[in-house]
Amino acid sequence: MRTLQLTVDYFVDNSENYTQAVDLLKKGEVVAFPTETVYGLGAVATDEKAVKKIFDAKGRPSDNPLIVHIGTAEEVSLYTSYIPEVAKLCMEAFWPGPLTIVMHAKPNILAPSVTAGLDTVGIRMPNHPVALKLLQTLKAPLAAPSANRSGKPSPTKADHVFEDLQGIIPCILDGGMTGIGVESTVLDVTLNTPVILRPGGVTKEMLEAVIGPVDEPSIEQQKIESTPKAPGMKYIHYAPNAPVYLIDANKETIENAIKQLKSEHKVALLAPESFKDIKVDYYFSFGEAHNLEQMSATLYDALRACDKTDATIILATATTKSGVGTAIMNRLEKAAGGNWFSLK
Ligand code: TXA
Ligand code: MG
């Protein structure tokens, strides 16, 4: 299969490219498209055969449900049996935007694979002109996970999608780099106290300002069986080929680590620009120091860049767990399998 990469930018009339993408989707094909978080791999969410192609293309386990993307907030009632008050408040405050709301699904409407056997569904209205135009032209919901091979960092550029899925999917809509760079916050509102199943661009603080107390289980708490969780969070995630170790963003610590490693390893360092002069085999930037927005926007690109080198170990600097730092550290801890570098 040849993978078309169709550019849809703000400057030209792209209607033909949207028509091609919509035609493919209506025929039961999958299409990758940009959102404000990461690129998604979409299929019409009511078409079981099409949705199955997403799982095949990604190599995704079938027990991991997909997020349903909609082009207008009103559509939410078509796919849910009941919309709790907190959900309404969240939609008003954060949609379109990087918030997926898990609610009770209306039975027998969505393709069974979308919900992976659960009686709930995660829905979001993305805040990206290309995603919205695609959804509003298609006039159907799109089931869409991140458009990477399962286990790999999510794509923040069309080229990342191409690297993972060329020859496997027919079309990528190329809308340039995504903005936020980490996936949406997943909020389950079916429980008495809403629970953040996956931290993202909409932070706990932002949610609590609108709906009051919200639970956010730590990685340690998530290991406890009874803690509510997103099925997908148990799998290996965001992992480059070489092992990743977290390290404090401290020049001396980093230099000592590199000194210890360099006789046996090719080392890649992922760190803010203030560390760019450190002598190391490969360096990839997390943007300006203490700028969490830049760090989240560059995180996956930096992790993916390591796979184009012969680095045998990756050191990635940690950051604060507040604001969007919670989402960044969640992804980095998963990429590192929880491992911190320790000096001998
Ligand atoms: O930003 C995003 O959310 C991107 C873009 C493309 O929208 N999508 C994305 O999808 O990250 P995916 O499939 O890579 O991650 C969806 C996560 C998984 O961890 C999945 O287990 C969880 O959401 N999820 C989906 N439906 C759920 C449900 N009904 N209950 C609990 N967790 C759910
Ligand atoms: Mg994903």
Side-chain angles (χ1 to χ4, degrees):
M1 183 186 290
R2 203 176 132 234
T3 302
L4 287 174
Q5 199 162 332
L6 306 175
T7 304
V8 277
D9 53 30
Y10 301 105
F11 310 111
V12 292
D13 177 14
N14 304 295
S15 29
E16 245 176 64
N17 289 344
Y18 284 102
T19 308
Q20 273 198 63
V22 165
D23 286 349
L24 282 166
L25 289 166
K26 284 188 175 157
K27 276 198 303 199
E29 275 303 333
V30 295
V31 169
F33 62 96
T35 80
E36 78 280 31
T37 57
V38 300
Y39 274 75
L41 181 62
V44 173
T46 49
D47 180 342
E48 175 68 8
K49 257 180 139 170
V51 170
K52 278 251 165 69
K53 289 184 186 168
I54 295 178
F55 286 85
D56 289 346
K58 282 185 58 99
R60 182 178 177 105
S62 61
D63 67 349
N64 192 4
L66 306 180
I67 294 171
V68 174
H69 297 68
I70 53 177
T72 59
E74 295 72 49
E75 287 165 70
V76 100
S77 58
L78 301 174
Y79 313 112
T80 54
S81 55
Y82 165 69
I83 310 173
E85 204 50 43
V86 285
K88 289 182 191 155
L89 292 171
C90 285
M91 288 172 208
E92 233 166 77
F94 303 110
W95 278 8
L99 178 70
T100 297
I101 308 176
V102 173
M103 290 172 270
H104 287 292
K106 208 173 250 183
N108 307 321
I109 308 276
L110 294 164
S113 299
V114 170
T115 52
L118 300 175
D119 57 8
T120 56
V121 59
I123 303 186
R124 94 172 181 102
M125 180 180 175
N127 188 17
H128 190 288
V130 174
L132 287 172
K133 173 112 190 243
L134 182 66
L135 286 161
Q136 288 161 7
T137 314
L138 176 69
K139 294 193 172 59
L142 281 177
S146 49
N148 50 286
R149 288 284 299 170
S150 249
K152 288 283 147 199
S154 298
T156 52
K157 294 176 177 169
D159 286 346
H160 296 159
V161 182
F162 195 77
E163 282 157 20
D164 278 19
L165 301 175
Q166 74 179 107
I168 299 175
I169 63 169
C171 178
I172 304 168
L173 285 180
D174 182 346
M177 232 180 123
T178 61
I180 296 171
V182 293
E183 303 83 346
S184 64
T185 304
V186 178
L187 182 74
D188 187 339
V189 298
T190 66
L191 303 147
N192 275 336
T193 305
V195 182
I196 295 175
L197 302 181
R198 179 179 72 182
V202 174
T203 63
K204 181 174 195 254
E205 297 84 350
M206 290 161 74
L207 287 166
E208 289 191 328
V210 176
I211 56 172
V214 169
D215 282 339
E216 182 166 45
S218 65
I219 290 205
E220 290 68 42
Q221 287 166 326
Q222 283 181 15
K223 288 184 185 137
I224 302 165
E225 198 55 41
S226 57
T227 309
K229 26 188 158 321
M233 296 308 273
K234 67 174 179 277
Y235 293 107
I236 293 175
H237 254 107
Y238 322 115
N241 297 329
V244 178
Y245 288 87
L246 283 161
I247 192 161
D248 281 327
N250 172 288
K251 189 159 187 252
E252 210 186 320
T253 313
I254 296 171
E255 281 175 339
N256 285 334
I258 294 169
K259 213 180 280 165
Q260 181 182 315
L261 290 166
K262 73 176 179 200
S263 62
E264 284 172 42
H265 282 284
K266 288 264 182 167
V267 184
L269 173 65
L270 314 187
E273 262 150 38
S274 47
F275 298 99
K276 73 171 189 281
D277 295 330
I278 288 181
K279 280 207 166 47
V280 63
D281 297 302
Y282 302 100
Y283 163 78
F284 299 105
S285 173
F286 278 159
E288 285 164 14
H290 311 296
N291 185 328
L292 290 176
E293 277 68 37
Q294 287 192 12
M295 189 170 181
S296 79
T298 54
L299 177 65
Y300 292 146
D301 192 39
L303 285 168
R304 279 179 171 265
C306 296
D307 281 350
K308 296 205 177 121
T309 71
D310 59 354
T312 54
I313 192 164
I314 301 165
L315 299 175
T317 56
T319 190
T320 149
K321 280 189 189 171
S322 67
V324 79
T326 312
I328 294 171
M329 284 305 291
N330 169 276
R331 307 310 192 270
L332 271 178
E333 279 173 347
K334 292 217 173 304
N339 294 317
W340 282 74
F341 185 79
S342 61
L343 284 172
K344 268 190 214 139

